[in-house]
Each structure stands twice: as C-alpha cells, then as structure tokens.
Amino acid sequence: RLFMRRGVGLLGAAEVVPTSRGRGLHRALVTARATEAEAAGARHLVGRTPAGSTAARTLGSMGLAPIWTRHDFRYDPAAAA
C-alpha cells in the first residue's frame, strides 16, 4: 500500500508469502508503488524495514538509502528485579 502526504510517498507494509518468494514479487510491488507515487507528484519515497532484512536489501538494490536505524527495546520487570 502507498500513502501520500505533502509530496512524500510512504511504502506501507508488503509481504510475499513464503511459497512465492524468490520470484521478484517484492521488487515488483515496490516498483508499482514507486510509479504510483511519482504519478501522484511525490518528490520523495520512503519505507521502513528492519536493518539487514531481505526487504532492506531489496530496497537498497533499488536505490533507496537508509536515513536512520531504529532500535527496539523491551522492558522485562522480572529480569529487572
């Protein structure tokens, strides 16, 4: 899914089921949404994915570059005691 706001296209979540992976479907989904964003007047295209993931490698190979890395933290009260 593609979301647009103020000239920025945001690539929403997309997933390829395991039995269909390795066929270039994720790349095709990104390409279709990038084309849609461009047609809608997007000046920028952004997406979020875990660092080092297959999706991150696909986006990188398509010319998108990381602009930050997010760290997720979890608090476990039992471990803190």
Side-chain angles (χ1 to χ4, degrees), residues 13-59:
E15 185 173 350
V16 177
V17 295
T19 56
S20 295
R21 292 182 182 158
R23 301 179 189 175
L25 296 175
H26 184 241
R27 180 178 296 276
L29 289 169
V30 172
T31 298
R33 291 181 292 161
T35 300
E36 180 183 350
E38 184 178 20
R43 296 181 311 277
H44 304 281
L45 184 65
V46 297
R48 295 185 321 200
T49 188
S53 67
T54 300
R57 289 189 296 277
T58 299
L59 294 177

Short mmCIF file of all heavy atoms in Angstrom, two decimals, residues 13-59:
data_model
loop_
_atom_site.label_atom_id
_atom_site.label_comp_id
_atom_site.label_asym_id
_atom_site.label_seq_id
_atom_site.Cartn_x
_atom_site.Cartn_y
_atom_site.Cartn_z
N ALA A 13 3.32 -1.51 4.45
CA ALA A 13 3.74 -2.90 4.58
C ALA A 13 3.38 -3.72 3.34
O ALA A 13 2.32 -3.56 2.76
CB ALA A 13 3.11 -3.52 5.82
N ALA A 14 4.30 -4.58 2.97
CA ALA A 14 4.07 -5.53 1.87
C ALA A 14 4.81 -6.80 2.24
O ALA A 14 5.93 -6.75 2.73
CB ALA A 14 4.58 -4.97 0.55
N GLU A 15 4.18 -7.90 2.01
CA GLU A 15 4.83 -9.17 2.33
C GLU A 15 4.51 -10.17 1.24
O GLU A 15 3.41 -10.19 0.70
CB GLU A 15 4.32 -9.70 3.67
CG GLU A 15 5.03 -10.94 4.14
CD GLU A 15 4.63 -11.37 5.53
OE1 GLU A 15 3.95 -10.61 6.23
OE2 GLU A 15 5.03 -12.47 5.92
N VAL A 16 5.49 -10.98 0.92
CA VAL A 16 5.31 -12.05 -0.05
C VAL A 16 5.25 -13.36 0.73
O VAL A 16 6.13 -13.64 1.54
CB VAL A 16 6.46 -12.06 -1.09
CG1 VAL A 16 6.29 -13.22 -2.05
CG2 VAL A 16 6.52 -10.74 -1.84
N VAL A 17 4.22 -14.15 0.48
CA VAL A 17 4.09 -15.42 1.20
C VAL A 17 5.27 -16.32 0.88
O VAL A 17 5.82 -16.28 -0.23
CB VAL A 17 2.75 -16.13 0.88
CG1 VAL A 17 1.57 -15.31 1.36
CG2 VAL A 17 2.63 -16.42 -0.59
N PRO A 18 5.69 -17.13 1.84
CA PRO A 18 6.90 -17.95 1.65
C PRO A 18 6.92 -18.79 0.38
O PRO A 18 7.96 -18.92 -0.26
CB PRO A 18 6.92 -18.84 2.91
CG PRO A 18 6.22 -18.02 3.94
CD PRO A 18 5.13 -17.29 3.20
N THR A 19 5.79 -19.34 -0.01
CA THR A 19 5.78 -20.20 -1.20
C THR A 19 5.99 -19.43 -2.50
O THR A 19 6.24 -20.04 -3.54
CB THR A 19 4.46 -20.99 -1.29
OG1 THR A 19 3.37 -20.06 -1.27
CG2 THR A 19 4.33 -21.96 -0.14
N SER A 20 5.90 -18.09 -2.44
CA SER A 20 6.07 -17.28 -3.65
C SER A 20 7.34 -16.44 -3.63
O SER A 20 7.56 -15.61 -4.52
CB SER A 20 4.86 -16.36 -3.83
OG SER A 20 3.70 -17.12 -4.06
N ARG A 21 8.17 -16.62 -2.62
CA ARG A 21 9.39 -15.81 -2.51
C ARG A 21 10.43 -16.24 -3.54
O ARG A 21 10.39 -17.35 -4.06
CB ARG A 21 9.96 -15.92 -1.10
CG ARG A 21 9.05 -15.23 -0.11
CD ARG A 21 9.56 -15.24 1.29
NE ARG A 21 8.57 -14.58 2.14
CZ ARG A 21 8.47 -14.76 3.44
NH1 ARG A 21 9.31 -15.55 4.06
NH2 ARG A 21 7.54 -14.14 4.12
N GLY A 22 11.35 -15.32 -3.83
CA GLY A 22 12.43 -15.62 -4.77
C GLY A 22 12.04 -15.43 -6.22
O GLY A 22 12.78 -15.83 -7.12
N ARG A 23 10.91 -14.80 -6.47
CA ARG A 23 10.44 -14.59 -7.84
C ARG A 23 10.41 -13.12 -8.24
O ARG A 23 9.88 -12.78 -9.30
CB ARG A 23 9.03 -15.16 -8.00
CG ARG A 23 8.94 -16.64 -7.71
CD ARG A 23 7.52 -17.13 -7.86
NE ARG A 23 7.41 -18.49 -7.38
CZ ARG A 23 6.27 -19.15 -7.30
NH1 ARG A 23 5.15 -18.57 -7.68
NH2 ARG A 23 6.26 -20.38 -6.85
N GLY A 24 10.91 -12.25 -7.37
CA GLY A 24 10.92 -10.82 -7.69
C GLY A 24 9.61 -10.11 -7.42
O GLY A 24 9.41 -9.00 -7.89
N LEU A 25 8.73 -10.73 -6.65
CA LEU A 25 7.43 -10.11 -6.39
C LEU A 25 7.53 -8.87 -5.52
O LEU A 25 6.83 -7.88 -5.75
CB LEU A 25 6.47 -11.13 -5.76
CG LEU A 25 6.13 -12.32 -6.65
CD1 LEU A 25 5.27 -13.32 -5.90
CD2 LEU A 25 5.41 -11.86 -7.91
N HIS A 26 8.40 -8.90 -4.50
CA HIS A 26 8.55 -7.71 -3.65
C HIS A 26 9.08 -6.54 -4.47
O HIS A 26 8.59 -5.42 -4.37
CB HIS A 26 9.48 -8.01 -2.47
CG HIS A 26 9.60 -6.85 -1.52
ND1 HIS A 26 10.79 -6.23 -1.27
CD2 HIS A 26 8.68 -6.20 -0.78
CE1 HIS A 26 10.59 -5.24 -0.41
NE2 HIS A 26 9.32 -5.21 -0.10
N ARG A 27 10.05 -6.80 -5.31
CA ARG A 27 10.59 -5.76 -6.19
C ARG A 27 9.48 -5.20 -7.09
O ARG A 27 9.37 -4.00 -7.28
CB ARG A 27 11.73 -6.32 -7.03
CG ARG A 27 12.35 -5.30 -7.97
CD ARG A 27 13.50 -5.92 -8.75
NE ARG A 27 14.59 -6.30 -7.87
CZ ARG A 27 15.54 -5.45 -7.45
NH1 ARG A 27 15.56 -4.22 -7.86
NH2 ARG A 27 16.49 -5.86 -6.64
N ALA A 28 8.64 -6.07 -7.61
CA ALA A 28 7.53 -5.63 -8.47
C ALA A 28 6.54 -4.78 -7.69
O ALA A 28 6.03 -3.77 -8.20
CB ALA A 28 6.83 -6.83 -9.10
N LEU A 29 6.25 -5.16 -6.43
CA LEU A 29 5.34 -4.37 -5.60
C LEU A 29 5.91 -2.98 -5.33
O LEU A 29 5.21 -1.97 -5.41
CB LEU A 29 5.08 -5.09 -4.28
CG LEU A 29 4.21 -6.34 -4.33
CD1 LEU A 29 4.27 -7.07 -2.98
CD2 LEU A 29 2.78 -5.97 -4.67
N VAL A 30 7.20 -2.93 -5.00
CA VAL A 30 7.84 -1.63 -4.73
C VAL A 30 7.85 -0.78 -6.00
O VAL A 30 7.53 0.41 -5.96
CB VAL A 30 9.27 -1.82 -4.18
CG1 VAL A 30 10.00 -0.49 -4.08
CG2 VAL A 30 9.24 -2.51 -2.83
N THR A 31 8.18 -1.39 -7.13
CA THR A 31 8.21 -0.66 -8.39
C THR A 31 6.84 -0.08 -8.72
O THR A 31 6.73 1.09 -9.12
CB THR A 31 8.70 -1.57 -9.54
OG1 THR A 31 10.03 -2.00 -9.23
CG2 THR A 31 8.69 -0.86 -10.87
N ALA A 32 5.79 -0.87 -8.54
CA ALA A 32 4.43 -0.40 -8.83
C ALA A 32 4.06 0.78 -7.94
O ALA A 32 3.50 1.78 -8.40
CB ALA A 32 3.44 -1.53 -8.66
N ARG A 33 4.41 0.69 -6.65
CA ARG A 33 4.07 1.79 -5.74
C ARG A 33 4.93 3.01 -5.99
O ARG A 33 4.47 4.14 -5.85
CB ARG A 33 4.17 1.31 -4.29
CG ARG A 33 3.06 0.30 -3.98
CD ARG A 33 3.09 -0.20 -2.57
NE ARG A 33 4.28 -1.02 -2.37
CZ ARG A 33 4.79 -1.31 -1.20
NH1 ARG A 33 4.25 -0.84 -0.10
NH2 ARG A 33 5.85 -2.07 -1.10
N ALA A 34 6.18 2.82 -6.38
CA ALA A 34 7.04 3.96 -6.72
C ALA A 34 6.49 4.68 -7.95
O ALA A 34 6.48 5.91 -8.00
CB ALA A 34 8.46 3.49 -6.96
N THR A 35 6.03 3.91 -8.91
CA THR A 35 5.43 4.50 -10.12
C THR A 35 4.16 5.27 -9.76
O THR A 35 3.93 6.38 -10.25
CB THR A 35 5.12 3.39 -11.15
OG1 THR A 35 6.33 2.73 -11.48
CG2 THR A 35 4.48 3.95 -12.40
N GLU A 36 3.35 4.70 -8.88
CA GLU A 36 2.13 5.36 -8.42
C GLU A 36 2.47 6.66 -7.68
O GLU A 36 1.82 7.69 -7.88
CB GLU A 36 1.36 4.42 -7.50
CG GLU A 36 0.07 4.98 -6.96
CD GLU A 36 -0.63 4.05 -5.98
OE1 GLU A 36 -0.22 2.87 -5.85
OE2 GLU A 36 -1.60 4.50 -5.35
N ALA A 37 3.50 6.62 -6.83
CA ALA A 37 3.91 7.81 -6.09
C ALA A 37 4.38 8.91 -7.03
O ALA A 37 4.02 10.08 -6.87
CB ALA A 37 5.01 7.45 -5.10
N GLU A 38 5.17 8.53 -8.02
CA GLU A 38 5.66 9.52 -8.98
C GLU A 38 4.51 10.15 -9.75
O GLU A 38 4.46 11.36 -9.93
CB GLU A 38 6.64 8.85 -9.94
CG GLU A 38 7.27 9.83 -10.91
CD GLU A 38 8.28 9.16 -11.82
OE1 GLU A 38 8.24 7.93 -11.99
OE2 GLU A 38 9.12 9.90 -12.38
N ALA A 39 3.55 9.33 -10.16
CA ALA A 39 2.38 9.85 -10.88
C ALA A 39 1.55 10.80 -10.02
O ALA A 39 0.91 11.72 -10.53
CB ALA A 39 1.52 8.69 -11.37
N ALA A 40 1.58 10.57 -8.70
CA ALA A 40 0.83 11.41 -7.76
C ALA A 40 1.61 12.66 -7.36
O ALA A 40 1.14 13.45 -6.55
CB ALA A 40 0.45 10.61 -6.53
N GLY A 41 2.82 12.83 -7.90
CA GLY A 41 3.61 14.02 -7.63
C GLY A 41 4.58 13.91 -6.47
O GLY A 41 5.07 14.93 -5.97
N ALA A 42 4.88 12.71 -6.02
CA ALA A 42 5.82 12.55 -4.90
C ALA A 42 7.20 13.04 -5.28
O ALA A 42 7.70 12.77 -6.36
CB ALA A 42 5.90 11.08 -4.48
N ARG A 43 7.82 13.79 -4.37
CA ARG A 43 9.19 14.25 -4.55
C ARG A 43 10.16 13.33 -3.82
O ARG A 43 11.35 13.31 -4.10
CB ARG A 43 9.35 15.68 -4.03
CG ARG A 43 8.51 16.70 -4.80
CD ARG A 43 8.71 18.12 -4.28
NE ARG A 43 8.59 18.28 -2.84
CZ ARG A 43 7.43 18.41 -2.17
NH1 ARG A 43 6.29 18.39 -2.81
NH2 ARG A 43 7.43 18.56 -0.86
N HIS A 44 9.63 12.56 -2.88
CA HIS A 44 10.44 11.64 -2.08
C HIS A 44 9.65 10.34 -1.91
O HIS A 44 8.42 10.34 -1.89
CB HIS A 44 10.75 12.21 -0.69
CG HIS A 44 11.42 13.54 -0.74
ND1 HIS A 44 12.76 13.69 -1.02
CD2 HIS A 44 10.92 14.78 -0.56
CE1 HIS A 44 13.06 14.98 -1.01
NE2 HIS A 44 11.97 15.66 -0.73
N LEU A 45 10.38 9.26 -1.72
CA LEU A 45 9.78 7.96 -1.46
C LEU A 45 10.51 7.35 -0.27
O LEU A 45 11.75 7.30 -0.26
CB LEU A 45 9.93 7.05 -2.69
CG LEU A 45 9.28 5.68 -2.61
CD1 LEU A 45 7.75 5.82 -2.53
CD2 LEU A 45 9.66 4.85 -3.82
N VAL A 46 9.76 6.96 0.75
CA VAL A 46 10.37 6.39 1.95
C VAL A 46 9.69 5.07 2.31
O VAL A 46 8.55 4.82 1.93
CB VAL A 46 10.29 7.36 3.16
CG1 VAL A 46 11.07 8.63 2.88
CG2 VAL A 46 8.86 7.68 3.52
N GLY A 47 10.41 4.23 3.03
CA GLY A 47 9.86 2.98 3.51
C GLY A 47 10.57 2.60 4.80
O GLY A 47 11.65 3.11 5.09
N ARG A 48 9.96 1.71 5.57
CA ARG A 48 10.57 1.26 6.82
C ARG A 48 10.69 -0.25 6.78
O ARG A 48 9.75 -0.95 6.39
CB ARG A 48 9.71 1.67 8.02
CG ARG A 48 9.64 3.15 8.19
CD ARG A 48 8.91 3.53 9.45
NE ARG A 48 7.75 2.67 9.69
CZ ARG A 48 6.74 3.00 10.47
NH1 ARG A 48 6.73 4.17 11.05
NH2 ARG A 48 5.73 2.18 10.66
N THR A 49 11.83 -0.73 7.20
CA THR A 49 12.07 -2.17 7.25
C THR A 49 13.20 -2.45 8.23
O THR A 49 14.05 -1.58 8.46
CB THR A 49 12.40 -2.70 5.84
OG1 THR A 49 12.46 -4.11 5.85
CG2 THR A 49 13.70 -2.15 5.31
N PRO A 50 13.22 -3.62 8.83
CA PRO A 50 14.31 -3.93 9.76
C PRO A 50 15.67 -3.93 9.05
O PRO A 50 15.80 -4.43 7.92
CB PRO A 50 13.97 -5.34 10.26
CG PRO A 50 12.49 -5.46 10.07
CD PRO A 50 12.19 -4.67 8.82
N ALA A 51 16.67 -3.37 9.71
CA ALA A 51 18.02 -3.34 9.15
C ALA A 51 18.50 -4.76 8.88
O ALA A 51 18.28 -5.66 9.68
CB ALA A 51 18.98 -2.65 10.13
N GLY A 52 19.10 -4.96 7.72
CA GLY A 52 19.66 -6.26 7.37
C GLY A 52 18.66 -7.27 6.84
O GLY A 52 19.03 -8.38 6.50
N SER A 53 17.39 -6.89 6.77
CA SER A 53 16.37 -7.83 6.30
C SER A 53 16.42 -7.98 4.78
O SER A 53 17.05 -7.19 4.07
CB SER A 53 14.97 -7.34 6.72
OG SER A 53 14.65 -6.14 6.01
N THR A 54 15.73 -9.00 4.29
CA THR A 54 15.63 -9.19 2.85
C THR A 54 14.99 -7.96 2.21
O THR A 54 15.44 -7.50 1.15
CB THR A 54 14.81 -10.45 2.53
OG1 THR A 54 15.45 -11.57 3.12
CG2 THR A 54 14.68 -10.67 1.05
N ALA A 55 13.96 -7.41 2.86
CA ALA A 55 13.30 -6.22 2.32
C ALA A 55 14.27 -5.04 2.26
O ALA A 55 14.28 -4.28 1.29
CB ALA A 55 12.08 -5.86 3.17
N ALA A 56 15.11 -4.88 3.29
CA ALA A 56 16.09 -3.80 3.29
C ALA A 56 17.08 -3.97 2.14
O ALA A 56 17.44 -2.99 1.47
CB ALA A 56 16.83 -3.75 4.62
N ARG A 57 17.50 -5.20 1.90
CA ARG A 57 18.42 -5.44 0.78
C ARG A 57 17.75 -5.14 -0.55
O ARG A 57 18.36 -4.56 -1.46
CB ARG A 57 18.94 -6.88 0.83
CG ARG A 57 19.92 -7.11 1.97
CD ARG A 57 20.60 -8.46 1.89
NE ARG A 57 19.68 -9.58 2.03
CZ ARG A 57 19.25 -10.07 3.19
NH1 ARG A 57 19.68 -9.53 4.32
NH2 ARG A 57 18.43 -11.10 3.22
N THR A 58 16.48 -5.51 -0.68
CA THR A 58 15.76 -5.22 -1.93
C THR A 58 15.65 -3.72 -2.14
O THR A 58 15.94 -3.22 -3.23
CB THR A 58 14.35 -5.86 -1.90
OG1 THR A 58 14.47 -7.27 -1.79
CG2 THR A 58 13.57 -5.52 -3.16
N LEU A 59 15.23 -2.98 -1.11
CA LEU A 59 15.09 -1.53 -1.25
C LEU A 59 16.44 -0.89 -1.57
O LEU A 59 16.52 0.01 -2.42
CB LEU A 59 14.50 -0.92 0.03
CG LEU A 59 13.05 -1.31 0.34
CD1 LEU A 59 12.62 -0.70 1.67
CD2 LEU A 59 12.11 -0.90 -0.77
#
